[in-house]
Amino acid sequence: MDRKIVIPGDLLSEDTRRAGEGTYVRNGKVYSLLYGIASFRDRISVIPLAGKYIPAVGDNVIGVVKDITFSNWILDINSPYDGLLHISEFPKKIDVEDMSKYLRIGSSVMARVKDVDPAMKVELTLNDRRLGVIKTGRVVEISHTRVPRLIGKGGSMISMLKKELNCNIFVGQNGRIWVSGNEEDMDLALKTILLIEREAHTNGLTDRIVEYIKDARRARG
Amino acid sequence: MDERVFIKDGIRLDGRRFDELRPIKMEVGVLKRADGSCYMEMGDNKVIAAVYGPREVHPRHLQEVNRAIIRYRYNMASFSVEERRRPGPDRRSYELSKVSREALEPVILTSYFPKSVIDIFVEVLQADAGTRTAGINAASVALADAGIPMRSLVSSCAAGKVDGQIVLDPMKDEDNFGQADMPIAITPTGEITLLQMDGMMTRDEFRQAIELAKRGCQEIYRIQRKVLIDRYSQFEDLQDEGSRR
């Protein structure tokens, strides 16, 4: 079996070269750091079943403005650490006085993590075509540990969802997912996403989800 | 000391042998709003542990720039003992909070989460000697459940001396009227993270007690591990049944 559930301190291998994410090495042996699912490939890594989102450079996230300071928006990114969006990272040139016109407290944005320093100061940016302020659609929150499953191997799950569900989907690495489409499609999309969250640790999920969507469509006629 | 007999023909008051633990019951993920939680019964002890975090530190001045801080709150409910206890923290619970925190701190990788806090709350709902060890066992499982990186779990139990005999996991009467009580906490690799004792033991008895308590901890570790593993494998079975329909 190449996948199994492990707890912190479980011995995974005696070959330190195979130590991957979620593991640690002690006395020439590899142990698990986390309670999660260990996958044994060339490298052994442990994917946690729970835990808080810790920002990393390049992650896409969905944030909610919780405060505005001089030249910065402070965003809640569903993490122990706040995200800072500097005025210069807004796609348009705007004045400090006008900040709350474009993004007020409570606004949601799709952003990217531009930098994280050792003191966990998280800088965000909106400078990309795919990023920006959320004006339509819905946002659903799942555990960030299930995001890799939602994306699937090489994006297989997410591209299937976009096609089958007729929706535009933006996945934040922090577990927030934006869905946009017509009302009926969005209803089904949110249900499907929550189903994936619940069953993320099971095998053969993509096929089952395809079936699920087809069933739901058929039931609706 | 009174004249009670605690051991008769090698059997204790509650029918256990010297090296036997009280029955243990454990459940993970019992609290919906906590990041990790665990309910545990060790004999007549009933404790519940909740873990929150890593999260932002309040008040701010407690924050550490290069690591997470850990807070541990051990609390006994007013109804947890026979005579109603005055609610709120007292000297005893401050001490137990401190030693329990220090029992868990060495296994947690606090440097992964600078400027944050991991809060552990342990509530004793019913007490019958050995609540600190039950609390540590539950808290350690709750930490794993919260997805916090740890070198290993921590397991904890006590050994005591009753009627001149070293026994494992004393219950209330044995603790109250016995000659010594020694709670320990260890990692599965055998590193001791907590060792306390009150009463009197000879050196030999002390060694004997440590060995006995270590064996008890190993047994508890097996239970802790099983509870965590079973949580998701059970779920997988349910899924299988569902898909077979």
Side-chain angles (χ1 to χ4, degrees), chain A residues 63-65 75 102-109 133-134:
Chain A
V64 180
V65 177
L75 270 66
Y102 294 90
L103 272 177
R104 61 183 73 205
I105 290 174
S107 305
S108 299
V109 292
V133 185
I134 294 176

Side-chain angles (χ1 to χ4, degrees), chain A residues 5 7-10 24 26 32-35 49-52 54 66 80-81 118-120 146 198-199 201-202, chain B residues 35 54-55 109 112-116 144-147 149-153 191 221 225 228-229 231-232 235 239:
Chain A
I5 295 168
I7 66 163
D10 275 4
Y24 69 98
R26 184 140 123 185
S32 175
L33 259 184
L34 297 160
Y35 173 38
L49 288 158
K52 289 285 166 71
I54 304 298
K66 64 176 203 181
Y81 308 106
M120 293 316 282
R146 308 295 197 265
R198 274 202 309 282
E199 303 196 1
H201 59 286
T202 57
Chain B
D35 294 317
R55 60 181 180 181
L109 281 103
Y112 276 37
F113 309 109
K115 287 181 165 179
S116 67
D145 181 40
M150 293 192 281
R151 270 179 269 272
S152 68
L153 297 184
E191 288 147 281
Y221 178 71
R225 182 161 195 284
L228 284 167
I229 303 273
R231 184 172 178 214
Y232 279 91
F235 194 55
Q239 296 313 331

Side-chain angles (χ1 to χ4, degrees), chain A residues 69-109:
Chain A
T69 65
F70 181 80
S71 76
N72 270 307
W73 286 280
I74 298 177
L75 270 66
D76 162 49
I77 49 169
N78 196 20
S79 156
Y81 308 106
D82 288 334
L84 291 177
L85 179 64
H86 191 256
I87 190 165
S88 62
E89 298 295 341
F90 198 84
K92 208 158 93 176
K93 256 211 161 25
I94 53 180
D95 276 342
V96 171
E97 301 85 66
D98 295 336
M99 281 173 77
S100 57
K101 270 192 203 160
Y102 294 90
L103 272 177
R104 61 183 73 205
I105 290 174
S107 305
S108 299
V109 292

Side-chain angles (χ1 to χ4, degrees), chain B residues 21-127:
Chain B
L21 288 169
R22 288 172 286 184
I24 290 172
K25 199 183 136 190
M26 248 183 165
E27 216 176 311
V28 200
V30 288
L31 300 174
K32 198 174 156 223
R33 300 298 302 270
D35 294 317
S37 59
C38 176
Y39 170 75
M40 185 178 198
E41 289 179 14
M42 267 174 102
D44 286 333
N45 289 306
K46 296 178 180 176
V47 302
I48 196 160
V51 169
Y52 297 84
R55 60 181 180 181
E56 234 177 291
V57 188
H58 290 290
R60 257 319 200 343
H61 70 266
L62 296 174
Q63 198 174 68
E64 293 281 346
V65 283
N66 53 357
R67 65 178 176 92
I69 61 164
I70 296 167
R71 288 190 292 216
Y72 191 110
R73 179 172 176 269
Y74 166 99
N75 187 48
M76 275 176 100
S78 56
F79 50 81
S80 63
V81 276
E82 264 172 40
E83 186 105 359
R84 181 189 147 86
R85 182 186 160 276
R86 197 162 175 266
D90 55 11
R91 232 162 69 161
R92 180 175 174 277
S93 51
Y94 277 120
E95 182 203 320
L96 298 195
S97 300
K98 176 183 177 290
V99 296
S100 305
R101 188 189 73 232
E102 288 172 354
L104 292 168
E105 241 170 357
V107 299
I108 302 174
L109 281 103
T110 51
S111 60
Y112 276 37
F113 309 109
K115 287 181 165 179
S116 67
V117 60
I118 297 166
D119 276 313
I120 307 165
F121 298 95
V122 170
E123 297 288 325
V124 178
L125 307 176
Q126 187 175 299

Side-chain angles (χ1 to χ4, degrees), chain A residues 81-150:
Chain A
Y81 308 106
D82 288 334
L84 291 177
L85 179 64
H86 191 256
I87 190 165
S88 62
E89 298 295 341
F90 198 84
K92 208 158 93 176
K93 256 211 161 25
I94 53 180
D95 276 342
V96 171
E97 301 85 66
D98 295 336
M99 281 173 77
S100 57
K101 270 192 203 160
Y102 294 90
L103 272 177
R104 61 183 73 205
I105 290 174
S107 305
S108 299
V109 292
M110 298 181 271
R112 178 167 306 132
V113 179
K114 192 185 157 212
D115 188 42
V116 181
D117 75 358
M120 293 316 282
K121 190 174 97 182
V122 181
E123 291 181 55
L124 305 174
T125 180
L126 291 185
N127 278 323
D128 190 313
R129 203 169 45 80
R130 279 186 48 80
L131 307 174
V133 185
I134 294 176
K135 288 174 184 141
T136 59
R138 301 186 205 160
V139 173
V140 61
E141 205 169 291
I142 63 172
S143 164
H144 86 275
T145 56
R146 308 295 197 265
V147 166
R149 202 70 191 80
L150 181 65

Side-chain angles (χ1 to χ4, degrees), chain A:
Chain A
M1 192 165 67
D2 69 333
R3 264 157 52 103
K4 72 173 193 195
I5 295 168
V6 294
I7 66 163
D10 275 4
L11 179 65
L12 299 175
S13 167
E14 310 216 337
D15 182 359
T16 56
R17 284 166 305 180
R18 295 182 67 197
E21 227 171 301
T23 69
Y24 69 98
V25 174
R26 184 140 123 185
N27 297 332
K29 287 176 184 165
V30 185
Y31 300 90
S32 175
L33 259 184
L34 297 160
Y35 173 38
I37 296 167
S39 63
F40 297 82
R41 302 213 180 89
D42 299 349
R43 280 183 165 243
I44 300 170
S45 57
V46 181
I47 300 143
L49 288 158
K52 289 285 166 71
Y53 169 69
I54 304 298
V57 176
D59 281 358
N60 288 330
V61 296
I62 291 177
V64 180
V65 177
K66 64 176 203 181
D67 203 357
I68 304 175
T69 65
F70 181 80
S71 76
N72 270 307
W73 286 280
I74 298 177
L75 270 66
D76 162 49
I77 49 169
N78 196 20
S79 156
Y81 308 106
D82 288 334
L84 291 177
L85 179 64
H86 191 256
I87 190 165
S88 62
E89 298 295 341
F90 198 84
K92 208 158 93 176
K93 256 211 161 25
I94 53 180
D95 276 342
V96 171
E97 301 85 66
D98 295 336
M99 281 173 77
S100 57
K101 270 192 203 160
Y102 294 90
L103 272 177
R104 61 183 73 205
I105 290 174
S107 305
S108 299
V109 292
M110 298 181 271
R112 178 167 306 132
V113 179
K114 192 185 157 212
D115 188 42
V116 181
D117 75 358
M120 293 316 282
K121 190 174 97 182
V122 181
E123 291 181 55
L124 305 174
T125 180
L126 291 185
N127 278 323
D128 190 313
R129 203 169 45 80
R130 279 186 48 80
L131 307 174
V133 185
I134 294 176
K135 288 174 184 141
T136 59
R138 301 186 205 160
V139 173
V140 61
E141 205 169 291
I142 63 172
S143 164
H144 86 275
T145 56
R146 308 295 197 265
V147 166
R149 202 70 191 80
L150 181 65
I151 293 168
K153 205 177 279 172
S156 59
M157 179 78 89
I158 194 70
S159 49
M160 181 277 286
L161 289 176
K162 280 181 191 167
K163 206 172 83 213
E164 298 284 328
L165 290 166
N166 245 331
C167 281
N168 205 349
I169 303 173
F170 177 93
V171 180
Q173 241 75 49
N174 59 345
R176 292 195 183 132
I177 293 128
W178 173 76
V179 179
S180 167
N182 73 43
E183 292 294 319
E184 256 191 8
D185 288 337
M186 278 198 286
D187 283 345
L188 181 57
L190 297 199
K191 268 191 212 154
T192 310
I193 289 165
L194 293 175
L195 182 73
I196 294 170
E197 183 194 21
R198 274 202 309 282
E199 303 196 1
H201 59 286
T202 57
N203 288 324
L205 187 56
T206 312
D207 297 338
R208 284 219 309 286
I209 294 296
V210 174
E211 278 303 305
Y212 173 79
I213 294 171
K214 282 196 181 127
D215 282 352
R217 280 267 150 75
R218 229 173 286 144
R220 202 174 282 153

